[in-house]
Amino acid sequence: MAVYYEGKIKKALCGALLLLSLMALSSSPPAGGGAAPPSAQVSPSTACNDTTDPTFCRTVLPPRGSSDLYTYGRFSVARSLESARRFAALVDRYLARHRGLSPGAVGALRDCQLMSELNIDFLASAGDALRSTDTLLDPQADDVHTLLSAILTNQQTCLDGLQAASSAWSERDGGLAEPIANGTKLYSLSLSLFTRAWVPTAKGSKHGGGGNKKPHHGHGHGKKPPAAATANRRGLFDVTDDEMARRMAIEGPERTVAVNGVVTVDQGGAGNYTTIGDAVAAAPNNLDGSTGHYVIYVLAGVYDENVVVPKHKKYIMMVGDGISHTVITGNRSVVDGWTTFNSATFAVVGQGFVAMNMTFRNTAGPWKHQAVALRSGADLSAFYGCSFEAYQDTLYTHSLRQFYRGCDVYGTVDYVFGNAAVVFQGCAFLSRLPMPGQSNTVTAQGRSDPNQNTGTSIQGCSLLAAPELAAAASAGGYRTLTYLGRPWKNYSRTVVMESFVGDLVDPAGWMPWAGDFALDTLFYAEYNNSGPGADTSRRVTWPGFHVLGTGADAGNFTVTSMVLGDNWLPQTGVPFTSGFITSN
């Protein structure tokens, strides 16, 4: 397994000393890419030319002298870390004097507080990696690319929450807008310089591709996965007694998975814990995955609780008794005063999280608007044989790298949304009956920067009508318009490939967000789909929409390329296909 970002956060050097030390670093051999190799000495102005905001870049980099792109990139990341620490302190001060603010505004600030803490962690880890070498190879290069992409996502999440609560803010609280904007520019600059220096053929390229890696098949999973999860899939962890629960290895579908402890949750009191939250709280902190996952086996039952797996609870594997048997449910919503981010019934941040054979549900209903069933901002997280059930904003694939296999996702408006690098394989997307006048949109991908390595890949899945929507249609009710997605942010990126598209999907395929917003900067694509809704002859004619004619471009959105799954998915026990599902 590759060594992923870990370790203590190192203190940033003071401004002047930092600049002197970075500028004094010797150049390394050329790494290729661009008009000049990243190790070539160039002026700050030249280094800024191909960044996302050259004018802002020139205000950040030192105005005199010359250096290489590696040194400029390190300098920008260090500046970003300083900025993140200042912003975190500012948010703390606002929270300390939050009297008079609405609960929604305070909730948004608390979301910003978490995002700021994560950004400090991520920038420190990225800085450590970049100081070690001028040559980063996958998976380390992808690790850093993922971290820098997530920092921008975190910043955008903070801003979105504050804007949603803006009506509750007084004039004195407007002081966060400028720091957020400046921080976003600085983080974007760091990402831009990183992709130029360390990832010349970056997956986050403006045209929406995924680099020049050749996709391949692997792990013996050549068969097409099932279109939907079964109602009760226990294969990976089928315990029947205490002796089995305490064994130190779990026999997976394809391999044996290492386990570092097993506990059980049983509402009847026969297990180690009666609530999932208590089991998570008692789990060991900061496991690195080298000794296996810490398993929480949740017996059948309906668990009415909101659960958070925080950042220091890493490499937890949560296994239930099957969809509709082990159910975690809640009813938080934006209408009831929660932020979208914190409306989740189940939220996970800790790296390496795996969930199997469970249902995650939010029962707030369509009239409560945004109401999340599960939010994942956990890097290297995987979900197998799970069901996610809500209406608007069901599944929040917030950030970092994620994988879903054999899962069911139920919803109406934007019901898979976020800005992770995420692949769905063999899943069923089941559009429900929305409120009168609403259309269904399966995805609302939130990529906000052209250099982010994020996007949603739907591979070998089925896009179908949920029973209540199908019943309404057959009864002669009004036809609900259903679309594959709409662009939440400027560089929204979603690919549907090798999937069955039902007749519920409108011939246009994709829906605009507002007017012509993002229509020429998004990247939406379809490849080798089947079913009555797969005909692309009447699809939208936006500049950013593509029908991929060969497997080469589509290969950028496979497990191998999109999430580097060959490096980490084998240890989860979750089956996956590395490349294409069907022969090419």
Side-chain angles (χ1 to χ4, degrees), residues 387-542:
S387 182
F388 308 94
E389 302 172 5
Y391 289 86
Q392 183 171 344
D393 289 2
T394 300
L395 179 56
Y396 196 172
T397 55
H398 180 263
S399 56
L400 303 166
R401 293 166 290 194
Q402 306 179 26
F403 178 70
Y404 296 75
R405 172 80 173 215
C407 294
D408 298 334
V409 191
Y410 294 82
T412 55
V413 178
D414 304 338
Y415 63 94
V416 177
F417 74 113
N419 195 26
V422 56
V423 177
F424 293 87
Q425 277 188 352
C427 296
F429 297 87
L430 299 152
S431 295
R432 307 179 81 169
L433 188 65
M435 291 193 296
Q438 284 186 329
S439 297
N440 286 335
T441 43
V442 178
T443 66
Q445 206 281 329
R447 185 167 171 253
S448 61
D449 188 285
N451 289 304
Q452 287 177 306
N453 64 350
T454 55
T456 297
S457 174
I458 296 174
Q459 182 187 25
C461 297
S462 294
L463 296 99
L464 306 167
E468 65 265 34
L469 182 62
S474 63
Y478 73 92
R479 181 175 183 270
T480 297
L481 299 178
T482 299
Y483 300 90
L484 298 174
R486 61 176 181 157
W488 184 24
K489 304 296 180 186
N490 261 312
Y491 297 94
S492 181
R493 180 159 63 173
T494 302
V495 175
V496 180
M497 60 183 187
E498 301 183 295
S499 294
F500 180 89
V501 183
D503 60 3
L504 76 162
V505 173
D506 189 83
W510 307 83
M511 177 182 179
W513 186 269
D516 61 357
F517 171 75
L519 300 187
D520 57 349
T521 53
L522 60 79
F523 183 89
Y524 286 168
E526 297 178 53
Y527 169 73
N528 199 23
N529 296 313
S530 62
D535 181 5
T536 59
S537 63
R538 296 166 60 189
R539 288 295 194 252
V540 294
T541 57
W542 306 337

Side-chain angles (χ1 to χ4, degrees), residues 207-543:
H207 56 76
N212 58 3
K213 300 173 187 173
K214 184 178 180 180
H216 62 87
H217 299 273
H219 301 289
H221 303 301
K223 294 182 180 180
K224 188 171 182 178
T230 61
N232 186 5
R233 183 185 287 108
R234 292 188 62 187
L236 184 64
F237 192 60
D238 193 6
V239 296
T240 57
D241 53 40
D242 288 344
E243 181 180 354
M244 289 290 285
R246 288 177 172 81
R247 62 188 177 168
M248 295 309 292
I250 298 175
E251 197 64 30
E254 305 290 337
R255 59 188 66 82
T256 297
V257 177
V259 174
N260 184 357
V262 179
V263 296
T264 59
V265 179
D266 179 12
Q267 290 176 319
N272 302 98
Y273 304 95
T274 58
T275 70
I276 298 169
D278 285 347
V280 170
N285 293 336
N286 295 315
L287 294 175
D288 64 6
S290 62
T291 57
H293 285 78
Y294 181 81
V295 176
I296 299 174
Y297 170 47
V298 186
L299 275 70
V302 177
Y303 296 81
D304 189 354
E305 52 180 309
N306 290 86
V307 179
V308 176
V309 181
K311 66 178 184 179
H312 57 280
K313 300 294 182 180
K314 300 179 181 180
Y315 291 95
I316 288 177
M317 178 180 287
M318 192 170 292
V319 184
D321 274 331
I323 290 175
S324 79
H325 292 269
T326 298
V327 179
I328 307 174
T329 186
N331 62 0
R332 292 178 178 175
S333 69
V334 167
V335 169
D336 286 336
W338 298 92
T339 62
T340 300
F341 186 82
N342 255 331
S343 69
T345 298
F346 193 100
V348 55
V349 184
Q351 178 178 319
F353 180 82
V354 179
M356 303 181 185
N357 308 336
M358 308 180 72
T359 292
F360 302 90
R361 181 179 293 159
N362 190 313
T363 61
W367 51 90
K368 292 296 182 73
H369 297 285
Q370 297 94 332
V372 176
L374 181 136
R375 184 191 84 233
S376 179
D379 198 20
L380 314 179
S381 56
F383 299 83
Y384 177 48
C386 292
S387 182
F388 308 94
E389 302 172 5
Y391 289 86
Q392 183 171 344
D393 289 2
T394 300
L395 179 56
Y396 196 172
T397 55
H398 180 263
S399 56
L400 303 166
R401 293 166 290 194
Q402 306 179 26
F403 178 70
Y404 296 75
R405 172 80 173 215
C407 294
D408 298 334
V409 191
Y410 294 82
T412 55
V413 178
D414 304 338
Y415 63 94
V416 177
F417 74 113
N419 195 26
V422 56
V423 177
F424 293 87
Q425 277 188 352
C427 296
F429 297 87
L430 299 152
S431 295
R432 307 179 81 169
L433 188 65
M435 291 193 296
Q438 284 186 329
S439 297
N440 286 335
T441 43
V442 178
T443 66
Q445 206 281 329
R447 185 167 171 253
S448 61
D449 188 285
N451 289 304
Q452 287 177 306
N453 64 350
T454 55
T456 297
S457 174
I458 296 174
Q459 182 187 25
C461 297
S462 294
L463 296 99
L464 306 167
E468 65 265 34
L469 182 62
S474 63
Y478 73 92
R479 181 175 183 270
T480 297
L481 299 178
T482 299
Y483 300 90
L484 298 174
R486 61 176 181 157
W488 184 24
K489 304 296 180 186
N490 261 312
Y491 297 94
S492 181
R493 180 159 63 173
T494 302
V495 175
V496 180
M497 60 183 187
E498 301 183 295
S499 294
F500 180 89
V501 183
D503 60 3
L504 76 162
V505 173
D506 189 83
W510 307 83
M511 177 182 179
W513 186 269
D516 61 357
F517 171 75
L519 300 187
D520 57 349
T521 53
L522 60 79
F523 183 89
Y524 286 168
E526 297 178 53
Y527 169 73
N528 199 23
N529 296 313
S530 62
D535 181 5
T536 59
S537 63
R538 296 166 60 189
R539 288 295 194 252
V540 294
T541 57
W542 306 337

Side-chain angles (χ1 to χ4, degrees), residues 542-568:
W542 306 337
F545 172 71
H546 308 272
V547 177
L548 303 180
T550 67
D553 288 335
N556 295 322
F557 300 94
T558 61
V559 165
T560 290
S561 294
M562 192 75 187
V563 294
L564 250 65
D566 298 313
N567 291 294
W568 59 276

Side-chain angles (χ1 to χ4, degrees), residues 90-99 105-106 109-110 113:
L90 179 61
V91 171
D92 288 344
R93 289 197 295 273
Y94 272 82
L95 279 169
R97 55 180 179 85
H98 69 264
R99 187 175 301 172
V106 173
L109 280 170
R110 287 179 176 153
Q113 188 178 48

